[in-house]
Amino acid sequence: MFLLHEYDIFWAFLIISSIIPILAFVISGVLAPVREGPEKLSSYESGIEPMGDAWLQFRIRYYMFALVFVVFDVETVFLYPWAMSFDVLGVSVFIEAFIFVLIPIVGSVYAWRKGALEWS
């Protein structure tokens, strides 16, 4: 029989971990001073007077490198539990993990051949 009281600790943790950030935002919104002016609305550049417009265009290459890093980083996070239980899992899971690794590798080779990863 399914007993709901076995999950009491989970629900308590979920509720408390949801209330704490909401409470922090509410308290900071109530207690924070609200003073608007030209100094507050100007962009801040390490104490130096801002020069020019704050909106600059960045080259798309920065974002491409960041996306490649995030893809391989997330892939590593997903592969870690699989690697920890590799001896228990069967050959089918090994093939699935191999395909999981192969897809980003094929994508990065494609991007490399297209010149998307060149820094020049």
Side-chain angles (χ1 to χ4, degrees), residues 15-36:
I15 291 170
I16 291 171
S17 63
S18 299
I19 287 176
I20 288 176
I22 292 171
L23 195 63
F25 278 115
V26 168
I27 290 173
S28 69
V30 169
L31 296 180
V34 179
R35 295 186 203 119
E36 292 184 15

Side-chain angles (χ1 to χ4, degrees):
M1 179 168 183
F2 181 71
L3 299 174
L4 193 58
H5 72 275
E6 292 178 3
Y7 294 97
D8 287 346
I9 294 174
F10 169 75
W11 291 115
F13 179 75
L14 185 68
I15 291 170
I16 291 171
S17 63
S18 299
I19 287 176
I20 288 176
I22 292 171
L23 195 63
F25 278 115
V26 168
I27 290 173
S28 69
V30 169
L31 296 180
V34 179
R35 295 186 203 119
E36 292 184 15
E39 293 283 329
K40 187 87 165 188
L41 297 175
S42 70
S43 60
Y44 180 74
E45 298 180 12
S46 302
I48 301 172
E49 285 292 321
M51 300 179 340
D53 194 15
W55 295 100
L56 299 174
Q57 281 189 332
F58 288 101
R59 295 174 64 189
I60 192 69
R61 305 227 185 263
Y62 297 118
Y63 299 111
M64 293 297 291
F65 279 100
L67 280 175
V68 168
F69 170 75
V70 166
V71 164
F72 282 104
D73 197 37
V74 168
E75 183 181 10
T76 304
V77 167
F78 281 129
L79 281 177
Y80 184 73
W82 172 80
M84 290 285 96
S85 59
F86 179 70
D87 56 345
V88 179
L89 303 173
V91 176
S92 64
V93 177
F94 174 75
I95 294 171
E96 290 174 9
F98 182 73
I99 293 171
F100 182 72
V101 171
L102 192 64
I103 291 172
I105 289 175
V106 168
S108 63
V109 167
Y110 174 78
W112 195 351
R113 289 198 175 215
K114 287 291 188 178
L117 302 178
E118 297 294 326
W119 192 258
S120 60

